[in-house]
């Protein structure tokens, strides 16, 4: 099999999927492998082949850090859904270490795991991702056509802007950061801006390039420059919490003086209740759809390539009633 892979210029995992007909392979790739098999007059060892065809029944989840409430919440629900489908979950807490992430892709190519769900923002990873592999991405786009699952980020931005406007704000702002990696979360600002421009409503934008080492300092500087801002849509709940803390430190009351809306809608623990206003992502549904999409790829069944799920506004104590 190694000789076939070398001759065809593909990985061992791709050769295995062609031989066993148990995974997605591009037609052009399949033909290259078949030509290599014919050229080398390769005949599989049936005993070894039958042993290899026993799947590991395990799927890896890559997250940048398990300490982030959204990632840990998603991991909890994904493990539950995979278990219902007879699969174990292996967690890769990558800390954005691209070598760790590449290692899991290598495990997938060598059939040591059956699939991969990836939440990753590592720039160099794109070149290792192939649409031939059973991979589902959360939020991020790759150069290859990889299935991704996301919430409706643009709609979330529109909803946040609309809620701030109708709750009596006079000037509102988007505060957040921008990744060099193309992903769906960038659409939050886009939805926000589209909505405020449609209504010709006064607004400000603070969008910093990642990584942002001092969010609190940037928030303080922003409000020193624009003290008239009385409504904020934060790119995520982490930013929202910091903004609320900084406003209170400045003697501003939330929501009386400034209203704040976050994005994510998850808490650090099951026991903790959501208190401030936010755009809630349907995390359990995202995990369910990611599992379903991955099972379809593994079983070579047709499925959607882009799965966009609805969000909703949660009215907490950081916005006024109307």
């Amino acid at each position: 099999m190694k000789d076939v892979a070398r001759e065809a210029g593909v990985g061992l995992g791709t050769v295995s999927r062609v031989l066993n007909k148990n995974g997605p392979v591009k037609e052009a790739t399949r033909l290259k492998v078949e030509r290599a098999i014919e050229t080398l007059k390769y005949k599989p060892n049936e005993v070894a082949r039958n042993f290899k065809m026993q799947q590991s029944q395990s799927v890896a989840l890559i997250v940048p850090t398990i300490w982030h409430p959204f990632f840990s919440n998603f991991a909890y629900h994904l493990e539950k859904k995979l278990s219902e489908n007879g699969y174990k979950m292996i967690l890769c807490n990558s800390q954005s270490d691209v070598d760790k992430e590449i290692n899991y892709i290598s495990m997938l190519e060598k059939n040591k795991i059956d699939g991969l769900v990836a939440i990753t923002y590592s720039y160099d990873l794109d070149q290792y991702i192939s649409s031939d592999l059973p991979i589902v991405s959360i939020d991020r786009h790759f150069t290859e056509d990889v299935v991704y699952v996301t919430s409706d980020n643009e709609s979330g931005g529109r909803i946040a802007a609309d809620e701030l406007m109708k709750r009596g704000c006079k000037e509102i702002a988007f505060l957040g950061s921008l990744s060099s990696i193309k992903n769906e979360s960038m659409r939050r600002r886009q939805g926000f801006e589209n909505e405020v421009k449609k209504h010709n409503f006064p607004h400000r934008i603070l969008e910093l390039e990642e990584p942002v080492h001092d969010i609190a300092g940037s928030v303080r500087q922003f409000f020193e420059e624009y003290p008239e801002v009385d409504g904020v849509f934060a790119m995520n709940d982490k930013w929202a919490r910091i903004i609320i803390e900084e406003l209170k430190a400045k003697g501003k009351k939330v929501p009386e003086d400034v209203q704040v809306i976050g994005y994510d809608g998850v808490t650090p623990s099951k026991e903790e209740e959501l208190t401030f206003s936010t755009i809630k992502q349907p995390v359990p549904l995202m995990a369910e759809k990611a599992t379903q999409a991955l099972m379809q790829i593994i079983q070579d069944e047709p499925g959607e390539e882009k799965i966009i799920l609805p969000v909703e506004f949660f009215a907490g104590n950081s916005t006024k009633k109307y």
Side-chain angles (χ1 to χ4, degrees):
M1 278 181 66
K2 286 181 181 177
D3 294 336
V4 171
R6 194 179 300 111
E7 176 76 17
V10 299
L12 272 173
T14 302
V15 175
S16 176
R17 283 190 293 280
V18 171
L19 289 170
N20 298 325
K21 299 183 173 65
N22 67 346
V25 179
K26 286 181 180 175
E27 180 65 14
T29 304
R30 184 182 63 78
L31 289 172
K32 280 200 297 185
V33 172
E34 288 177 349
R35 279 197 297 270
I37 288 169
E38 189 176 337
T39 300
L40 297 173
K41 296 181 171 50
Y42 171 72
K43 292 181 181 176
N45 180 321
E46 288 301 322
V47 174
R49 189 178 177 201
N50 289 336
F51 179 76
K52 275 300 267 187
M53 283 179 71
Q54 295 175 14
Q55 292 180 313
S56 68
Q57 296 301 118
S58 58
V59 166
L61 168 65
I62 294 175
V63 295
T65 170
I66 200 64
W67 294 116
H68 191 291
F70 173 78
F71 302 145
S72 57
N73 202 277
F74 181 82
Y76 170 82
H77 289 287
L78 184 72
E79 192 278 333
K80 191 175 177 183
K81 287 298 172 186
L82 287 169
S83 181
E84 289 172 6
N85 283 271
Y87 282 79
K88 301 180 293 293
M89 188 184 84
I90 300 169
L91 180 63
C92 171
N93 186 39
S94 75
Q95 301 292 332
S96 297
D97 181 342
V98 71
D99 290 332
K100 270 190 180 181
E101 297 174 347
I102 292 167
N103 185 50
Y104 277 86
I105 294 168
S106 176
M107 287 174 67
L108 184 58
E109 289 177 330
K110 294 172 182 175
N111 291 332
K112 291 183 179 179
I113 54 176
D114 298 329
L116 186 64
V117 178
I119 306 176
T120 169
Y121 304 101
S122 301
Y123 183 79
D124 294 331
L125 194 66
D126 198 304
Q127 61 185 303
Y128 297 95
I129 297 289
S130 167
S131 58
D132 294 337
L133 297 171
I135 297 175
V136 171
S137 173
I138 306 300
D139 284 339
R140 178 176 174 175
H141 305 172
F142 286 98
T143 305
E144 292 268 351
D145 291 329
V146 172
V147 173
Y148 70 83
V149 177
T150 185
S151 66
D152 194 339
N153 291 269
E154 188 172 348
S155 173
R158 289 199 307 270
I159 292 168
D162 185 58
E163 291 292 342
L164 291 170
M165 288 189 290
K166 70 186 183 186
R167 288 168 194 270
C169 292
K170 303 300 181 190
E171 184 166 336
I172 62 179
F174 169 87
L175 272 64
S177 58
L178 179 66
S179 171
S180 59
I181 305 299
K182 189 178 178 185
N183 64 78
E184 286 290 305
S185 66
M186 295 176 178
R187 297 185 185 274
R188 297 172 194 176
R189 171 185 169 173
Q190 184 181 331
F192 175 87
E193 278 196 291
N194 289 346
E195 190 67 14
V196 291
K197 285 177 180 177
K198 186 171 77 175
H199 295 279
N200 198 27
F201 200 88
H203 66 282
R204 303 284 181 180
I205 302 290
L206 173 68
E207 192 170 56
L208 306 173
E209 286 190 14
E210 295 179 357
V212 183
H213 299 293
D214 185 11
I215 296 175
S218 300
V219 169
R220 280 195 299 275
Q221 186 178 344
F222 175 84
F223 279 102
E224 285 167 10
E225 290 182 34
Y226 306 107
E228 68 280 4
V229 168
D230 60 353
V232 175
F233 171 42
M235 72 167 290
N236 57 35
D237 287 351
K238 177 183 176 180
W239 272 76
R241 289 187 184 94
I242 293 170
I243 290 164
I244 291 169
E245 286 171 8
E246 287 303 316
L247 286 168
K248 288 179 178 178
K250 284 177 65 68
K252 297 274 190 180
K253 293 180 181 178
V254 178
E256 292 84 355
D257 298 326
V258 183
Q259 301 184 63
V260 179
I261 296 175
Y263 194 107
D264 275 341
V266 295
T267 55
S269 70
K270 286 178 69 177
E271 291 74 26
E272 192 171 325
E273 290 186 6
L274 192 61
T275 54
F276 59 84
S277 301
T278 190
I279 305 298
K280 287 186 74 172
Q281 298 199 74
V283 182
L285 184 59
M286 291 175 76
E288 180 182 332
K289 292 294 184 182
T291 302
Q292 183 183 342
L294 191 61
M295 294 302 105
Q296 287 171 332
I297 298 169
I298 290 171
Q299 293 156 21
D300 201 16
E301 296 174 356
E304 297 176 79
E305 287 187 3
K306 299 175 184 178
I307 302 164
I308 302 173
L309 303 172
V311 295
E312 61 180 1
F313 175 66
F314 171 81
N317 60 14
S318 61
T319 49
K320 297 177 183 177
K321 293 180 172 59
Y322 65 89

